[in-house]
Amino acid sequence: MIKKYKEAKGLAAFFDSLELWQKTSGAFCVKSSLTQIEYDDILKGTNASIFVPLWTSCAKTGTKLLCDENTLEVIRFYKKCGYKAVLMDGNPADYIGEELNFLAYIYACKAADPASFGDEANAFIDAFFTDTAKNFIESALTEDVKKWLSEEAYKELEAYCDLLKAFVSGDEIQICES
């Protein structure tokens, strides 16, 4: 469970801040070359030509609608597990970075007490996170995004998306020694 915790927390760093991702990316064998402008264009919506949905509500409905019944279901799931969302950057609770932090919380609890939480992590991934991650990956790896990023930054985004795919599918993620 400690490895799953590190994976979830490290992947969440990408959505927390560029600075944190740059400090963390090496642990995933990824060299970060994203500039602040590129990062903000992808994750903060500062480029009107790029839309990368980061919320379960968008992933499940195929719209740009935030805070719907899906968001409430995510909040209920958090509450059932004793987790309080921190609302990263003012995002709703179904923000992909928040969901990764929630999964890290579940894995940390299970590492401390293997009897805590049954299969909640997999249930959450199946019910919510898979759709959110898939929607993010499909939107992030489009030609529209590619044309706005440097070649190195796009390769980094591809590498991150590969890590996210592996995490969702439960595949082994290579952790590099610093």
Side-chain angles (χ1 to χ4, degrees):
M1 285 301 129
I2 294 294
K3 185 170 183 338
K4 293 302 289 179
Y5 164 80
K6 288 179 179 179
E7 290 173 359
K9 202 64 177 165
L11 291 171
F14 183 81
F15 297 99
D16 190 14
S17 72
L18 177 59
E19 180 183 6
L20 186 57
W21 170 243
Q22 289 171 333
K23 291 177 183 175
T24 307
S25 62
F28 293 106
C29 311
V30 174
K31 181 185 179 308
S32 182
S33 60
L34 279 166
T35 66
Q36 189 67 55
I37 290 171
E38 291 169 322
Y39 180 85
D40 290 349
D41 284 351
I42 299 165
L43 299 178
K44 308 288 184 193
T46 58
N47 184 331
S49 298
I50 297 174
F51 177 67
V52 179
L54 307 168
W55 311 272
T56 296
S57 54
C58 293
K60 292 241 182 228
T61 64
T63 68
K64 294 182 180 182
L65 179 66
L66 298 180
C67 298
D68 68 357
E69 186 61 34
N70 293 294
T71 309
L72 294 175
E73 289 299 318
V74 168
I75 292 168
R76 287 182 191 113
F77 204 105
Y78 290 168
K79 190 173 183 172
K80 179 180 89 170
C81 295
Y83 180 79
K84 186 173 185 328
V86 296
L87 304 180
M88 298 169 67
D89 279 339
N91 278 292
D94 64 343
Y95 176 62
I96 189 170
E98 187 75 62
E99 291 180 352
L100 282 161
N101 279 323
F102 169 71
L103 289 166
Y105 161 80
I106 293 290
Y107 294 131
C109 290
K110 286 187 73 66
D113 177 9
S116 69
F117 302 112
D119 198 30
E120 275 80 0
N122 288 333
F124 186 82
I125 288 170
D126 291 345
F128 304 107
F129 191 71
T130 297
D131 291 331
T132 309
K134 181 181 177 203
N135 199 282
F136 169 79
I137 292 164
E138 288 173 356
S139 299
L141 298 181
T142 62
E143 286 300 316
D144 284 343
V145 172
K146 186 176 185 177
K147 73 180 177 185
W148 288 100
L149 301 181
S150 68
E151 184 177 336
E152 298 81 22
Y154 192 75
K155 285 180 183 176
E156 177 182 351
L157 185 59
E158 287 177 315
Y160 180 82
C161 288
D162 287 344
L163 291 166
L164 201 55
K165 283 180 206 172
F167 180 79
V168 168
S169 65
D171 293 342
E172 185 77 19
I173 293 179
Q174 180 182 358
I175 303 294
C176 296
E177 297 299 319
S178 301

